[in-house]
Every structure is written in structure tokens, then in C-alpha cells.
């Protein structure tokens, strides 16, 4: 079974891997961000999607998250690794750090459509732990095997963007427990859950968040820092993909069980 990989700013394909196939899809929710590229990494099949389009043209608040996730599901993908650039908030999050996320604080405030269930059926999926525990374990173990230092947990605060944050917003986010800040983890993670897919979030810290490093933030700094982390990221993925189980034993595959009202 192919594994889905979503690449964010600075990750538009997997360096050095020639796609076996490019798949263009339409969905009931409109067009996904780009073509899906089927690649083989370390003997495992991956289906890659560039979240912001190729070339990078879709800002985080305009990404069609529903189409992207639906497209993966329709290609038979059950497990997704979602990679994104973030600003570091807590003291151990430095540019270059790789973080296997375990929690999310959603500050998009309803500005994005965050469900497939808007009509007819009312569904409340459990989101206590927004990421798949099994996939997280695989990534953490893979990091150990590949000798890569990763942060084994991190809370991601998701803002609507596209502007960056103020220094006081970052201070507030740090006080409510956020470790990193980005603009794309939501609604991606919850839509994956509604489709009963496993999802893990890997963040690449590309800069200190506003007011932390002291300097002005630039978009070029984000893309450049992501590029310097690509080698590590690729070796993490190459080690993780061969450890994916044939059959899922986690609760993600039953996310809709007991989630519907009536
Ligand atoms: N804030 C929000 N999103 C980001 C940042 C940031 O500092 N860096 C990379 N993505």
C-alpha cells in the first residue's frame, strides 16, 4: 500500500527521485494542489503531493485541504506523512530541528473548511490525539536508526496566515503550551482523521518565531532553511517507509465508529 507524503514550503519533490507516474485528479471538493507523484524510496512506494502547488503558488489559507486529502484516499493511501516548515517557539526548537508532532492548537478560528460533514450527517471525530500514535512511533524509531536527532514531541499552533505573527501573539502561544508555529497542520490532520487515514506531522524548524530571534522574518529564510534540512528529512523518510506495517492496528482506521450523531 502506498504511503502519502505531503511536502510544504521548500519541499516540492523528493530530491533525486524520478516519479514513476504523475497522477492528475479531480475530486468532489475541487482540484488538489498539484499532481500526485508516485515515487519509490528505499523500495517503498510513496505518493507525493506539493501542498502549495508546483510552482509554489497557493498560500496556506487557500490550500484545498479537502481535495488534497480526498485525492490521497481515492488513490488507496491509508497513511500520510505531512511535512511542513514552522517557526520555533519553545527554547529547544532551533532552526534545523526536526519535530515529530504530537499535539495541535488550532488558531485558524473557523476560517477554513475543516470537515467533510457539512450537510446531512453530523460527525464529531475524536481528536484527543491528533496524530497517529503508531506512525509517530515508527518515525521516532526511524530517526534513532538513521542517527538523526529529532524532537519526539511538539505542540503545533496553527495560524491562518498568510501574515507572520506578532511578537505578542508568539508570547501568548508559548504561554498556552505551543512549541512551534505554522499555517498548515489544520485542517489537514482532522480531515485525514475523518477519512480514517493515519497521519503524522513532521515539522522542520526554519526560523525562530516572531520576537524570539530578534530579527525580521523573511520567506526566503524559510525556504533556504528547509532546503538545508532536506538530506536529514530524506534519510528519516527512507528509514521510516520500510518500517510501515502491512496492516494497520491503530484506532485511526475506526475514527468514524461512534462519531456520528444519529
Ligand atoms: N510562523 C508561521 N508559519 C511559519 C513560520 C513562522 O514563523 N515559519 C515557517 N512557517
Amino acid at each position: 500500500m502506498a504511503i502519502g507524503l505531503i511536502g510544504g514550503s521548500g519541499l516540492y519533490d523528493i530530491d533525486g527521485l524520478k516519479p514513476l507516474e504523475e497522477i492528475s485528479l479531480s475530486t468532489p471538493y475541487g482540484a488538489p494542489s498539484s499532481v500526485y507523484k508516485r515515487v519509490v524510496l528505499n523500495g517503498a512506494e510513496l505518493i507525493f503531493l506539493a501542498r502549495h502547488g508546483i510552482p509554489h503558488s497557493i498560500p496556506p489559507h487557500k490550500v484545498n485541504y479537502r481535495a488534497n486529502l480526498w485525492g490521497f484516499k481515492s488513490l488507496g493511501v491509508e497513511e500520510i506523512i505531512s511535512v511542513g516548515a514552522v517557526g520555533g517557539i519553545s527554547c529547544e526548537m532551533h532552526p534545523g530541528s526536526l519535530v515529530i508532532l504530537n499535539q495541535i492548537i488550532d488558531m485558524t478560528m473557523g476560517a477554513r473548511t475543516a470537515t467533510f460533514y457539512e450537510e446531512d450527517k453530523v460527525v464529531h471525530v475524536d481528536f484527543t490525539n491528533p496524530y497517529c500514535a503508531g506512525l509517530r512511533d515508527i518515525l521516532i524509531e526511524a530517526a534513532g536508526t538513521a542517527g538523526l536527532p529529532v524532537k519526539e514531541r511538539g505542540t503545533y499552533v496553527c495560524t491562518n496566515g498568510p501574515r507572520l505573527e506578532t511578537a505578542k501573539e508568539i508570547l501568548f502561544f508559548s504561554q498556552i503550551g505551543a512549541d512551534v508555529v505554522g499555517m498548515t497542520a489544520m485542517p489537514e490532520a482532522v480531515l485525514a482523521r475523518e477519512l480514517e487515514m493515519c497521519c503524522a506531522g513532521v515539522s522542520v524548524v526554519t526560523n525562530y518565531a516572531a520576537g524570539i530571534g530578534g530579527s525580521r522574518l523573511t520567506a526566503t529564510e524559510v525556504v533556504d532553511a528547509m532546503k538545508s534540512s532536506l538530506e536529514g528529512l530524506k534519510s528519516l523518510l527512507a528509514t521510516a517507509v520500510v518500517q510501515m506495517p502491512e496492516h494497520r492496528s491503530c484506532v485511526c482506521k475506526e475514527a468514524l465508529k461512534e462519531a456520528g450523531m444519529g
Side-chain angles (χ1 to χ4, degrees):
M1 190 62 70
I3 300 151
L5 176 65
I6 306 180
S9 305
L11 180 58
Y12 307 113
D13 53 26
I14 309 182
D15 211 24
L17 292 187
K18 238 178 116 81
L20 302 178
E21 190 187 356
E22 294 195 346
I23 308 161
S24 223
L25 280 183
S26 64
T27 79
Y29 303 95
S33 296
S34 66
V35 291
Y36 294 81
K37 293 183 183 179
R38 205 157 62 78
V39 296
V40 173
L41 177 63
N42 208 9
E45 192 181 322
L46 285 182
I47 295 184
F48 177 84
L49 180 72
R51 183 188 290 116
H52 299 287
I54 307 171
H56 188 132
S57 56
I58 312 170
H61 64 297
K62 295 276 192 194
V63 170
N64 190 339
Y65 295 95
R66 291 200 297 183
N68 288 354
L69 273 291
W70 190 271
F72 274 117
K73 182 83 179 180
S74 69
L75 293 171
V77 167
E78 292 181 338
E79 289 150 322
I80 290 189
I81 300 174
S82 164
V83 178
V86 293
I89 298 180
S90 58
C91 58
E92 72 275 23
M93 299 297 177
H94 306 290
S97 300
L98 290 177
V99 193
I100 314 298
L101 300 169
N102 69 316
Q103 273 297 330
I104 296 177
I105 299 171
D106 185 3
M107 284 288 179
T108 61
M109 306 293 186
R112 303 174 181 185
T113 308
T115 181
F116 288 104
Y117 296 97
E118 290 194 294
E119 288 155 31
D120 304 333
K121 205 166 170 206
V122 178
V123 166
H124 299 286
V125 282
D126 173 59
F127 208 45
T128 310
N129 292 302
Y131 291 111
C132 170
L135 262 189
R136 291 190 68 255
D137 285 348
I138 289 171
L139 285 163
I140 292 167
E141 207 177 300
T145 311
L148 276 173
V150 293
K151 314 289 179 197
E152 296 187 5
R153 56 187 56 76
T155 296
Y156 181 120
V157 59
C158 187
T159 63
N160 198 48
R163 69 164 177 86
L164 292 158
E165 302 72 38
T166 67
K168 281 290 182 196
E169 283 168 340
I170 293 298
L171 177 64
F172 169 63
F173 295 154
S174 102
Q175 286 167 346
I176 61 172
D179 298 303
V180 294
V181 58
M183 302 178 191
T184 56
M186 284 298 286
E188 208 167 74
V190 75
L191 293 172
R193 180 68 51 89
E194 282 192 350
L195 292 174
E196 299 190 318
M197 292 195 267
C198 298
C199 179
V202 179
S203 287
V204 180
V205 180
T206 51
N207 56 280
Y208 289 111
I212 291 186
S215 53
R216 258 182 96 246
L217 305 178
T218 65
T220 5
E221 160 187 23
V222 170
V223 173
D224 290 349
M226 180 59 105
K227 285 193 180 133
S228 2
S229 300
L230 286 185
E231 266 316 296
L233 201 53
K234 195 172 158 191
S235 88
L236 174 66
L237 294 172
T239 318
V241 289
V242 291
Q243 289 169 12
M244 296 288 194
E246 189 81 2
H247 299 289
R248 298 187 295 162
S249 57
C250 56
V251 289
C252 307
K253 64 179 193 304
E254 294 178 349
L256 294 179
K257 211 168 155 186
E258 298 175 18
M261 306 287 283

